[in-house]
């Protein structure tokens, strides 16, 4: 028997497993190999597809010479624009976003960027498919391309995304002129890539007239709906399964490999698997766009902001607009009498960027929080005190009340634990042998939202409970957190909960993205558990088929009052800089966060620490460089694209203050992304404190340190005056 509840009246106080450390419920499966990923699952009669990518940055495909390849051993088919099935891309997908352009696979002969998919070779083995794909001759009519990104582009446009492109109030120039101290600086961040451990992989097959796709994704409902629309299918005739995912960070939506697998499975009427190579992922799975950001701040002598301007420019492709809303962070963090922000884009012959952990906030906080540090230096005010003096009482742009804002409490606790009071504010005065030492800090914030979800809970006759929800665990520990929420709401031990996730047949659910996943799913589970508990109280015995309750939180989530809802944090970093080699080492980091009720401290701390480590990587290492001549990336692999390794990470600590959300049934806000926000700025501010040289362009490479700051090793004051901009 099954009933449905909407979740408009839910309990606000839970007790028991929530808030206690718990090892991952799937941990044993992962360390023993029992947990299988999208590219691991065997099928009878499985064929393999290998994508062929363009070698020109702009033009047309004039010929695909399939004959010799089709004669190669094991080759079954070559799909391209001349023979591929048609798809319909004229729709808006989940979260109001159009599908990625590469999902319009093989629909015409246009090539909009280097690495655009032009063919799929399908063979009996992956080795045969790869050999044939590398042998396939594709001829092009090449056209001039433009991949050069810079702040001075005259063709840049303001563009609305998930937020308005431009906001403004007050006379900026008047307030700047009246300010006692002014900062006017440009900051840049480079192109960055997700680089998760598990590559993008999908297997498609037709099973009794129904499309069955085993995938690695961030939301089974998302992929189900988009594939159904692309192939003009009823969503109920499409099943997406994604039980284990080895990382996503924003990139694992609907992309070329799933569409290619479905096309090939349809053409051959047998299962087909398509797995991207690491190099292909650099072209086909999105990335964080580079940004150039101008920040102008003006303040009274006491540090009160009179003027704030934050303008951000990012690139996008010529086939789809993507906005990295880096200026959006200023709309939340600080107010001023004149407050102006803008997000702009320039369209180039490059792949389309996408969401990447902390989209907008991660690069935007580097610029804004670095500028705040510069302003504190100009005013002679402690950086934490300056932030406290400018902590707004309501949304600086929206005017909405904050649903809790504990960022200054994070700074106070972090300062106490980090030893901030012992810091000499003068730059370049601390040494440890050849190393210059410095400390820095920065604020963090990320929206705390929720999306409608459904969940089904079944009381089994053996006394256990089965939870079915189309959630996605990207390795974050979501599966375990949801088991704790279910056990807590039902008043039972966690080992009586069986979690089943990652299957579109379980009904619509929010994606794992925007730090909204666990909050959204936990809400739906909590609602269903409350109803099931009442049913069990009334019915007593459980019949052999069990008792199932299904929830739908659409109405409850839609009824939330309009407020500024965010998780917050304070980042602290200590660095050591070798002025002779330019090497920067992060000796220790501390992050204190106000991020709602923490469901599982063990995995939550891992998430926050992971974000902070990515901040180290962002500050010092990550940089994808595009060659203007070819239009492609230089070193598009993990040998050429550097990420932080174990040797780069020393002491990184994350903790939190008590900060439950009273309007969420479990008290959750979100922790997936706030850990990276502000981390790079804290490190950059620490490098300034160590050397007296301000680095406004990421990453802070050794050559940049040497170029700008060698003099800081002997005369920090002279370095600060003579080479202020790195």
């Amino acid at each position: 028997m099954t009933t449905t509840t909407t979740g408009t009246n839910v309990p606000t106080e839970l007790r028991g497993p929530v808030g206690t450390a718990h090892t991952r419920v799937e941990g044993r499966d992962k360390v023993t190999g029992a947990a299988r990923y999208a590219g691991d699952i065997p099928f009878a009669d499985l064929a393999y597809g290998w994508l062929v990518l363009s070698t020109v940055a702009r033009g047309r495909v004039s010929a695909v010479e399939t004959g010799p390849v089709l004669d190669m051993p094991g080759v079954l088919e070559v799909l391209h624009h001349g023979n591929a099935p048609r798809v319909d891309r004229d729709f808006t997908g989940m979260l109001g976003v159009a599908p990625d352009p590469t999902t319009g696979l093989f629909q015409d002969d246009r090539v909009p960027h280097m690495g655009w998919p032009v063919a799929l070779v399908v063979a009996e083995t992956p080795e045969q498919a790869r050999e044939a794909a590398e042998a396939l001759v594709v001829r092009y009519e090449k056209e001039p391309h433009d991949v050069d990104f810079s702040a001075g582009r005259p063709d840049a446009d303001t563009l609305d995304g998930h937020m308005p492109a431009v906001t403004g109030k007050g006379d900026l120039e008047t307030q700047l002129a009246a300010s006692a101290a002014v900062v006017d600086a440009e900051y840049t961040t480079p192109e960055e890539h997700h680089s998760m451990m598990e590559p993008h992989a999908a297997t498609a097959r037709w099973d009794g007239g129904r499309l069955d796709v085993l995938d690695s994704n961030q939301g089974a409902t998302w992929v189900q709906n988009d594939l159904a629309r692309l192939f003009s299918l009823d969503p109920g005739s499409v099943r997406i399964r994604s039980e284990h995912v080895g990382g996503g960070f924003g990139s694992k939506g609907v992309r070329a490999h799933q569409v290619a697998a479905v096309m090939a499975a349809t053409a051959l009427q047998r299962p087909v698997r398509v797995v991207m190579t690491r190099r292909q992922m650099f072209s086909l799975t999105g990335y964080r766009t580079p940004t150039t950001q101008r920040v102008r701040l003006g303040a009274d002598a006491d540090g009160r902001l009179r003027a704030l301007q934050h303008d951000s420019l990012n690139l996008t492709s010529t086939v789809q607009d993507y906005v990295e809303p880096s200026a959006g962070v200023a709309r939340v963090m600080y107010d001023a009498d004149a407050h102006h922000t803008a997000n702009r884009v320039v369209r180039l012959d490059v792949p389309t960027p996408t969401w990447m952990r902390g989209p907008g906030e991660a690069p935007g906080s580097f610029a804004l929080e670095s500028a705040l540090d510069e302003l504190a230096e100009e005013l002679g005010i402690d950086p934490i005190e300056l932030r406290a003096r400018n902590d707004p009482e309501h949304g600086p742009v929206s005017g909405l009340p904050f649903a809790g804002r504990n960022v200054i409490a994070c700074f106070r606790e972090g300062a106490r634990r980090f030893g901030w009071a012992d810091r000499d504010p003068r730059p370049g005065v601390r040494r440890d042998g050849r190393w210059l030492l410095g400390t820095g800090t920065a604020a963090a914030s990320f929206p705390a939202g929720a999306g409608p979800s459904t969940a089904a809970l079944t009381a089994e006759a053996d006394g256990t409970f089965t939870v079915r929800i189309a959630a996605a665990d990207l390795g974050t520990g979501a599966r375990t957190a949801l088991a704790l929420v279910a056990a807590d709401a039902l008043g039972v031990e966690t080992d009586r909960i069986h979690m089943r996730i990652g299957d579109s047949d379980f009904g619509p659910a929010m994606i794992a993205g925007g730090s909204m996943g666990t909050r959204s799913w936990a809400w739906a589970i909590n609602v269903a558990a409350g109803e099931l508990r009442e049913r069990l109280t009334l019915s007593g015995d459980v019949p052999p088929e069990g008792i199932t309750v299904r929830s739908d939180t659409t109405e409850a989530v839609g009824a939330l009052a309009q407020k500024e809802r965010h998780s917050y944090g304070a980042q602290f970093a200590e660095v050591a800089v070798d002025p002779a080699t330019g090497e920067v080492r992060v000796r220790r980091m501390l992050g204190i966060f106000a991020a709602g009720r923490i469901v599982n401290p063990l995995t939550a701390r891992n998430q926050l620490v992971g974000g902070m480590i990515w901040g180290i990587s962002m500050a010092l290492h990550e940089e994808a460089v595009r060659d203007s001549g070819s239009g492609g990336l230089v070193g598009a692999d993990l040998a050429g694209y550097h990420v932080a390794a174990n040797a780069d990470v020393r002491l990184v600590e994350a903790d939190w203050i008590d900060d439950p959300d009273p309007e969420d049934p479990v008290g959750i806000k979100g922790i997936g992304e706030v850990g990276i926000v502000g981390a790079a700025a804290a490190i950059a501010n620490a490098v300034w404190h160590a050397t007296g040289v301000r680095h406004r362009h990421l990453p802070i490479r050794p050559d940049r340190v040497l170029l700008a700051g060698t003099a800081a090793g002997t005369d920090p004051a002279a370095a600060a005056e003579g080479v202020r901009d790195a």
Side-chain angles (χ1 to χ4, degrees):
M1 58 184 73
T2 303
T3 61
T4 301
T5 183
T6 62
T8 52
N9 295 298
V10 293
T12 58
E13 293 185 3
L14 299 177
R15 59 191 180 279
V18 168
T20 61
H22 198 291
T23 57
R24 296 173 186 263
V25 296
E26 82 284 14
R28 180 178 292 274
D29 287 346
K30 285 186 171 177
V31 299
T32 59
R36 293 188 297 187
Y37 292 80
D40 301 334
I41 301 169
F43 285 96
D45 201 29
L46 180 63
Y48 298 85
W50 202 278
L51 287 165
V52 179
L53 308 188
S54 71
T55 57
V56 302
R58 184 179 178 88
R60 292 183 177 275
V61 176
S62 59
V64 182
E65 299 181 1
T66 61
V69 167
L70 288 170
D71 290 336
M72 293 179 70
V75 175
L76 302 169
E77 180 64 277
V78 179
L79 294 174
H80 53 87
H81 72 276
N83 64 358
R86 300 297 92 186
V87 297
D88 179 9
R89 293 189 65 255
D90 188 19
F91 66 91
T92 299
M94 200 163 190
L95 303 181
V97 177
D100 183 84
T102 59
T103 59
L105 202 63
F106 314 142
Q107 297 302 289
D108 56 48
D109 61 358
R110 290 296 309 172
V111 174
H113 62 75
M114 173 77 79
W116 179 262
V118 295
L120 178 79
V121 176
V122 188
E124 295 287 357
T125 71
E127 294 81 8
Q128 291 170 332
R130 179 171 188 167
E131 182 180 7
E134 292 175 349
L136 182 68
V137 174
V138 180
R139 303 195 185 277
Y140 303 92
E141 295 176 6
K142 190 175 179 181
E143 299 172 3
H145 64 265
D146 181 5
V147 299
D148 294 328
F149 176 71
S150 65
R153 298 280 311 207
D155 50 348
D157 295 328
T158 55
L159 187 67
D160 294 339
H162 286 294
M163 60 181 67
V166 177
T167 66
K169 66 178 181 181
D171 188 318
L172 193 65
E173 299 304 329
T174 298
Q175 294 296 339
L176 285 168
S179 296
V182 172
V183 169
D184 183 348
E186 181 182 279
Y187 304 85
T188 67
T189 60
E191 180 177 324
E192 301 167 10
H193 285 259
H194 301 80
S195 302
M196 74 295 295
M197 292 182 69
E198 182 199 15
H200 292 62
T203 304
R205 64 172 183 161
W206 289 94
D207 183 15
R210 194 176 189 214
L211 179 61
D212 184 23
V213 179
L214 280 83
D215 190 26
S216 176
N217 64 55
Q218 295 184 223
T221 302
W222 181 11
V223 178
Q224 176 195 40
N225 289 335
D226 278 16
L227 287 181
R229 298 286 293 274
L230 283 163
F231 289 95
S232 302
L233 301 170
D234 182 276
S237 67
V238 179
R239 185 185 186 188
I240 308 297
R241 289 179 285 165
S242 182
E243 185 178 1
H244 295 287
V245 181
F249 308 119
S251 75
K252 284 188 174 174
V254 183
R255 301 204 174 274
H257 65 296
Q258 296 125 320
V259 178
V262 174
M263 284 181 171
T266 302
L268 297 175
Q269 287 300 298
R270 61 187 284 189
V272 176
R273 175 170 295 156
V274 178
V275 180
M276 289 193 194
T277 67
R278 183 67 60 180
R279 183 171 289 272
Q280 288 173 344
M281 287 163 58
F282 275 83
S283 298
L284 295 179
T285 63
Y287 54 96
R288 196 194 304 282
T289 166
T291 70
T292 66
Q293 302 175 59
R294 185 187 185 189
V295 179
R296 291 202 290 173
L297 301 177
D300 292 337
D302 64 359
R304 186 183 69 85
L305 285 173
R306 299 179 66 106
L308 187 158
Q309 179 187 13
H310 190 171
D311 290 347
S312 178
L313 174 68
N314 70 262
L315 62 73
T316 190
S317 69
T318 60
V319 289
Q320 186 175 32
D321 288 334
Y322 174 82
V323 183
E324 182 84 1
S326 299
V329 69
R331 303 176 188 181
V332 174
M333 291 306 297
Y334 308 107
D335 203 355
D337 298 321
H339 193 290
H340 292 255
T341 65
N343 292 306
R344 297 180 300 136
V345 301
V346 61
R347 297 169 183 86
L348 300 174
D349 301 312
V350 297
T352 306
T354 193
W355 305 307
M356 185 166 166
R357 196 175 196 172
E361 278 78 7
S365 65
F366 165 66
L368 183 63
E369 293 297 315
S370 294
L372 257 291
D373 205 67
E374 295 198 49
L375 184 64
E377 175 198 353
E378 292 286 341
L379 290 166
I381 298 175
D382 179 84
I384 294 176
E385 182 57 29
L386 180 64
R387 288 167 173 82
R389 293 181 189 182
N390 288 284
D391 193 42
E393 296 181 358
H394 49 74
V397 172
S398 69
L400 294 172
F402 288 104
R405 182 182 170 95
N406 289 320
V407 63
I408 301 304
C410 293
F411 272 112
R412 300 300 187 211
E413 175 63 12
R416 182 188 67 80
R417 291 178 52 171
F418 196 73
W420 187 262
D422 299 329
R423 176 184 191 257
D424 187 329
R426 296 174 299 165
V429 298
R430 289 180 58 209
R431 278 188 174 274
D432 180 8
R434 74 178 192 273
W435 299 94
L436 293 168
L437 305 183
T439 53
T441 190
S445 74
F446 197 81
S453 294
T454 62
L457 265 67
T458 300
E460 309 288 0
D462 62 1
T464 63
F465 298 85
T466 302
V467 180
R468 294 176 177 85
I469 186 167
D473 190 336
L474 311 185
T476 59
R479 181 188 273 103
T480 307
L482 297 179
L484 296 179
V485 169
D488 214 319
L490 290 166
V492 301
E493 296 298 319
T494 309
D495 60 8
R496 292 174 62 186
I497 304 296
H498 300 299
M499 290 297 308
R500 296 189 60 193
I501 67 171
D503 190 332
S504 63
D505 276 0
F506 297 157
M510 182 60 192
I511 67 170
S515 295
M516 293 188 284
T518 299
R519 177 176 181 173
S520 303
W521 307 321
W523 195 328
I525 289 170
N526 187 62
V527 170
E531 175 68 17
L532 181 58
R533 200 167 179 176
E534 291 182 15
R535 289 285 308 279
L536 291 172
T537 300
L538 294 173
S539 63
D541 294 335
V542 177
E545 71 275 14
I547 299 175
T548 298
V549 171
R550 186 172 186 80
S551 65
D552 184 343
T553 62
T554 302
E555 183 180 345
V557 171
L560 282 171
Q562 291 295 306
K563 294 183 180 180
E564 289 278 3
R565 303 177 186 277
H566 305 268
S567 293
Y568 296 99
Q571 303 270 17
F572 295 83
E574 179 181 73
V575 304
V577 182
D578 185 339
T581 66
E583 182 182 2
V584 178
R585 286 285 181 182
V586 178
R587 289 195 168 186
R588 60 187 178 112
M589 287 190 75
L590 171 67
I592 301 294
F593 300 94
R597 191 178 189 192
I598 302 301
V599 176
N600 184 1
L602 186 63
T603 52
R605 183 168 283 108
N606 289 344
Q607 278 295 288
L608 295 168
V609 166
M612 295 167 67
I613 291 172
W614 203 340
I616 296 173
S617 201
M618 177 181 178
L620 304 180
H621 303 286
E622 295 193 43
E623 181 181 26
V625 178
R626 196 165 291 277
D627 174 54
S628 60
S630 69
L633 290 178
V634 177
D637 50 45
L638 293 183
Y641 180 80
H642 294 171
V643 299
N646 286 353
D648 301 302
V649 181
R650 296 190 181 180
L651 179 62
V652 180
E653 296 179 282
D655 211 339
W656 45 83
I657 62 175
D658 190 41
D659 182 53
D661 185 344
E663 296 181 85
D664 181 88
V666 188
I668 296 172
K669 286 186 177 178
I671 60 171
E673 291 166 277
V674 72
I676 191 176
V677 181
I683 293 167
N685 292 339
V687 171
W688 167 80
H689 187 234
T691 65
V693 179
R694 184 68 63 177
H695 288 265
R696 296 177 177 140
H697 311 294
L698 296 184
I700 307 173
R701 303 189 310 253
D703 63 304
R704 285 177 166 166
V705 175
L706 289 174
L707 178 66
T710 301
T714 55
D715 188 352
E721 282 298 316
V723 282
R724 212 131 175 92
D725 286 346

